[in-house]
Structures are given as C-alpha cells and as structure tokens.
Amino acid sequence: MTKPAAYSLAVPPLFAALAPARNILVAGAGGGFDVYAGLPLALALWHGGARVHLASLSFSELELLDRDAWVAEHVAAIEPGTTSPDWYFPEGTLARWLAAHELPSTVYAFPPLGVQTLREAYRHLVDRLDIDAIVLVDGGTDVLLRGDESDLGTPAEDIASLAAVAALDVPVKLVTSLGFGIDAHDGVNHVEVLENLAALDRDGGYLGALSIPGAGREATLYRDAVADARAATPDRPSLVQGQIAAATGGAFGDVRFSRRTGQGDLFVNPLMAIYFTVDLDKLAARCLYLDRIENTVGRRQVITRIAAFREELGQARIPRAYPH
C-alpha cells in the first residue's frame, strides 16, 4: 500500500490507495444494508474504469436460497434473478437495482459467521475474483471502536469482518465509515471515535475524510437505490441508509422518512455524508479484543466473547460531550 507520506491534498488518499488495484472488493462489514454504504464509492470507482465487486454480510435467511446460488460453503452469489422466500433480502434488492442501471449486478453474500469461517468465505472470493484490494464499509462508526470506549454500540459483525480480513494476504486493505453520528442511538460516543481517528493518524493509518457531493452522480444514484430498498422492504427500511441518503440531499435535523423513527429521534447532518477511511491492518492492531474472537466459528461465539471482554475490562473511557 502507498505510504501515507505519498498522499496529497490534490488526490483523495482513499482513491490514491486504490489506484493500483485491478479487482476491488467493496464489502458491507456490519450486515444487512451496510453494503449500500459502499455504493457511492463503488459508483465512483466504476465510473473511473475500475473493476469492482460487491459483498455483504447478510441478515437474510440465506439457507432458503436454491443450491445453485451457492459458489462456496458460505458464499452465495446473488444475481438479479435470485429469489428468496425471506421478505428481508437487501442483497437481492440491490442486485436488481444494479441491473436496472446497467451496472455489474452480482452481490456476494455471507451468513453471519465467526472469524474463522468468515475468513474462509472472504478467501474464496479473493481467489475466485483475483482480488487485490478490499474495502470494508461500515454504515456508522462501530468498526472504528477499539474496545475500551464507554459503549461499543453493536460491534459483533463489524469486528468479525475486521478480524477476518486482517489475516488475508491482500495488497490493499481499507476500512471506511459512512454515517458519522448515527450510532449515538446505540450509545456510541463520537468524541471517542474522533480520538481513535487521531490516534490512527499518528500511526499513519488515517486516510482522511471525503464528502460525497450531494448533487453528484454518486449521491443521486445512491439516494435512488436507498429509496428503492425502502420500497422493497417497507416494514424494515434501513434507518442508517435513510439518514445518510437524507444527509447527501442537504436534509438537517429530525428528518421523517420511516415509521420506525420516533419524534425527535434523529439528527441528520452533513457529517453523515462523509467517508472516514483508515488502514485496515492498523485499525485491527489497535483493537483490544481481536485476539479474543480470533478462533470463533459462529456469530454467537463472537457476541459472547466481546461481552466477556467488556466484563473484564474494568474502567472504560469516560464519555465526553463534543465541546463546540
């Protein structure tokens, strides 16, 4: 990967780091609709001529898929024509939207897994697609937490994805977070997130912040995709993607876009439409409990071991209010 000293203001470090790659995997780290948070990035890369593949840690009942959808034990290739009896199927919705816009339309899906099994799923895609760059995308900021914060939000899937990819031999590995502030609903203190980013910057692992231009092609198509997903899943639309999409359109404050949000629940703002990107290996090295979950094979093991770590932690960082 290009050394941080080679980066400049003229070219966003996120794109500079990916420039040498031939096959890029953009993968939703936290499950469900997280892959949508990678869509503006994928759209920009496709427009620039890069070969990009999408993957998602799925919360759908993937075991209900037909056998021909599976390309490996824990990897399903979701095509526009792939159907599922599960009403919650973001990967299928996204595949159909991509095809309707004449974009590469396969979305690879993994079940929620432990680190060892998820790593094998990623390794299969790396070999199958000749991947030389992976970008894990988190809708929110859970993935940027190291473990001693006042609250970790809902980290199991994000950190399992981080641990799985950290051990892969891939030239470029990045993590990008879109939706700053959204995880406050789950108890995350975003002053601690900023503190972590500063520490990564000191370590040479921070690739900066990159705003999605609201009037640009990427934001316009992203908002269309999120609206399409909301129509396809009216009983459980993504609150994360809904807020990010609203932020890319200049919305502010308590924006109403779903029955799932209560009065006064939201604070949509421009920070939600910014990618915060870090070096994946440097982020993994700072996680205080990554070794605890290394030998897991199932999601429940990951959740249990994170809970045990938190119980043994003692004093967590004291949350602070943003001072400005």
Side-chain angles (χ1 to χ4, degrees):
M1 181 174 164
T2 307
K3 294 181 179 179
Y7 295 146
S8 74
L9 188 61
V11 179
L14 169 57
F15 286 89
L18 294 173
R22 302 182 312 278
N23 291 289
I24 303 166
L25 181 65
V26 175
F33 285 99
D34 261 15
V35 64
Y36 276 77
L39 189 56
L41 174 61
L43 288 165
L45 291 167
W46 276 324
H47 189 65
R51 186 175 300 168
V52 182
H53 308 273
L54 298 176
S56 172
L57 186 66
S58 180
F59 289 153
S60 301
E61 300 291 338
L62 293 181
E63 65 270 20
L64 301 178
L65 296 175
D66 290 340
R67 183 182 296 272
D68 59 6
W70 294 91
V71 296
E73 182 179 5
H74 295 300
V75 184
I78 310 303
E79 307 287 353
T82 303
T83 59
S84 171
D86 189 356
W87 62 271
Y88 180 82
F89 194 28
E91 296 80 14
T93 301
L94 179 56
R96 290 188 291 274
W97 182 89
L98 290 165
H101 289 78
E102 299 182 343
L103 294 164
S105 56
T106 300
V107 180
Y108 293 94
F110 317 122
L113 300 166
V115 172
Q116 292 293 317
T117 41
L118 186 56
R119 183 176 296 146
E120 286 308 307
Y122 268 102
R123 185 170 284 125
H124 174 84
L125 282 188
V126 168
D127 293 341
R128 177 187 180 91
L129 303 173
D130 194 24
I131 296 296
D132 54 1
I134 297 177
V135 184
L136 286 185
V137 183
D138 182 21
T141 52
D142 292 348
V143 74
L144 298 176
L145 305 180
R146 69 181 218 148
D148 62 349
E149 291 81 6
S150 53
D151 198 302
L152 299 187
T154 54
E157 289 78 22
D158 296 298
I159 303 303
S161 298
L162 176 66
V165 174
L168 296 179
D169 184 17
V170 176
V172 178
K173 293 181 290 184
L174 306 175
V175 172
T176 195
S177 163
L178 184 66
F180 186 89
I182 284 174
D183 291 325
H185 178 75
D186 290 315
V188 172
N189 179 280
H190 285 78
V191 172
E192 294 173 333
V193 174
L194 293 173
E195 185 179 1
N196 291 353
L197 288 172
L200 283 161
D201 199 8
R202 292 193 297 273
D203 291 343
Y206 180 46
L207 280 74
L210 182 63
S211 181
I212 302 170
R217 174 178 176 272
E218 296 86 4
T220 301
L221 287 172
Y222 168 69
R223 289 192 293 269
D224 185 78
V226 171
D228 177 72
R230 186 183 306 136
T233 318
D235 293 331
R236 194 180 167 189
S238 172
L239 299 186
V240 171
Q241 304 306 321
Q243 290 178 78
I244 297 170
T248 68
F252 185 83
D254 189 26
V255 179
R256 308 255 63 80
F257 55 82
S258 167
R259 296 191 305 271
R260 293 182 67 199
T261 62
Q263 192 68 31
D265 282 353
L266 305 182
F267 181 57
V268 173
N269 66 85
L271 291 175
M272 291 180 175
I274 294 176
Y275 281 119
F276 292 87
T277 304
V278 301
D279 178 274
L280 187 147
D281 288 337
K282 290 185 182 296
L283 179 65
R286 288 183 50 79
C287 182
L288 298 173
Y289 59 90
L290 213 66
D291 60 329
R292 301 287 192 98
I293 66 171
E294 170 60 26
N295 294 319
T296 56
V297 295
R299 176 175 179 265
R300 178 56 56 183
Q301 286 179 298
V302 175
I303 294 171
T304 300
R305 295 187 188 186
I306 294 175
F309 166 79
R310 290 289 286 181
E311 288 178 6
E312 298 166 14
L313 180 63
Q315 181 64 49
R317 282 149 69 178
I318 298 172
R320 290 185 292 164
Y322 191 72
H324 300 297

